[in-house]
Amino acid sequence: MERLLALHVASLASEASDGSTLRESVTLLEALLQICPFSEAPRPGLFTMPVRGPSRFFGGEEAVMAAVRACVRDLVGQEGSLGIADGLFLVEHCARVGVVLAPGESTEYWRALPLRVLGHRALTQSGPRLGLHTVGAFADLSPARVRERFDARVVALHRLARRESAEGPGQRDLAWHKRLTRARQGERALDEQLGFFGQRGASDERAERAAFRRQSGAPDEAARCFHQNALCTPPEGPGTLRRSPS
C-alpha cells in the first residue's frame, strides 16, 4: 500500500459562495505539484502526494513536510495539518489529527482505531453489541459473516478495515475533481493569454513570491516549493520517523 503525505486545510474544506475556496485550492495544488507532480486533491480541503520520491529529493520526510507547510502558509495564510501513513483513508485521518506514522506502523495504528472512524453510524452503534470496538476487531470478522449481516456499504468498509482497499467508499469527491480540473485549465489558458499580451499571470506572481522567499533567507526546502520541479522517483529505501503530531 502506497505511503502518502496528506495536508488538511480546514478553511478549504467547505466552499465559500464567492468562489474563493476553488481559487485558493487551485493555487495551492499548483504549488504542491512543484514538490511532486503526482499531488492531488481528492476532496475539498484535502491534498495528498506520494511521499517517497519527494523525500529522496528534499532529503527526508521532515524536509518535505517543511516545504508543504511553507506552501500553505504562503498561499492560504495558515498552517494546515499534516499526516503521513499508508493508504488514502488512513492518511486523511492522520492529517486531520496531525499524526505522522513511521514506515511499518500503519497497520498496528489502523487496527487500534475505534470503529467510529469508518464513518458508518449503524456499524458504530451495532458493533459494540457484537463485541466489536476497534477497526481491527471488525477486520477479523469473516467476509461471509459480514455479508450475511450487513449491507453493501459495510461490506466495502470491511474490505477497507482488512486493508484490502486503500480508500473508503465515496472518499473521493469526483464532482470536486472535475471542477478543480476545469479551473486549473482555465487558469493556464488565462496565463497564456496574458503572457501573449505582455501582462502578468498567476504563474508570474508565484515566481515572484519564490524569488522573494530566497532573497529574505527562507529555508531552501520551502523556497523549492515554488522554484523547482521535484521528480517523484522512488527512493532507494524508506527513512524512519517516530510517531508525532505534525
Side-chain angles (χ1 to χ4, degrees), residues 106-151:
S106 289
T107 298
E108 180 183 357
Y109 180 86
W110 170 244
R111 287 181 58 84
L113 288 174
L115 199 57
R116 66 176 180 273
V117 302
L118 296 177
H120 193 284
R121 180 180 297 179
L123 179 61
T124 301
Q125 293 173 345
S126 62
R129 293 197 294 269
L130 300 172
L132 307 175
H133 299 278
T134 65
V135 172
F138 178 51
D140 290 340
L141 290 178
S142 70
R145 185 180 176 190
V146 173
R147 287 193 298 268
E148 288 173 0
R149 184 177 290 270
F150 297 103
D151 60 20

Side-chain angles (χ1 to χ4, degrees), residues 28-161:
L28 181 54
L29 179 58
E30 291 288 350
L32 295 175
L33 285 164
Q34 298 304 307
I35 296 176
C36 175
F38 302 110
S39 298
E40 57 180 347
R43 59 191 306 112
L46 178 67
F47 303 84
T48 65
M49 68 176 68
V51 74
R52 291 184 64 191
S55 176
R56 182 178 184 179
F57 180 85
F58 283 93
E61 292 181 351
E62 293 286 355
V64 178
M65 289 191 292
V68 171
R69 287 192 185 99
C71 285
V72 70
R73 277 198 306 267
D74 196 53
L75 297 175
V76 185
Q78 59 180 267
E79 289 295 323
S81 181
L82 295 178
I84 296 180
D86 296 344
L88 182 61
F89 192 91
L90 180 56
V91 80
E92 178 176 357
H93 168 80
C94 287
R96 288 177 181 274
V97 298
V99 168
V100 172
L101 297 178
E105 282 190 346
S106 289
T107 298
E108 180 183 357
Y109 180 86
W110 170 244
R111 287 181 58 84
L113 288 174
L115 199 57
R116 66 176 180 273
V117 302
L118 296 177
H120 193 284
R121 180 180 297 179
L123 179 61
T124 301
Q125 293 173 345
S126 62
R129 293 197 294 269
L130 300 172
L132 307 175
H133 299 278
T134 65
V135 172
F138 178 51
D140 290 340
L141 290 178
S142 70
R145 185 180 176 190
V146 173
R147 287 193 298 268
E148 288 173 0
R149 184 177 290 270
F150 297 103
D151 60 20
R153 184 174 179 84
V154 176
V155 171
L157 289 173
H158 187 243
R159 289 196 296 270
L160 176 68

Side-chain angles (χ1 to χ4, degrees), residues 9-21:
V9 184
S11 65
L12 301 180
S14 56
E15 288 199 67
S17 58
D18 61 1
S20 60
T21 303

Side-chain angles (χ1 to χ4, degrees), residues 40-43 172-182:
E40 57 180 347
R43 59 191 306 112
R172 290 181 181 271
D173 188 331
L174 300 182
W176 171 253
H177 173 74
K178 291 179 181 178
R179 293 180 58 215
L180 203 61
T181 299
R182 287 197 299 268

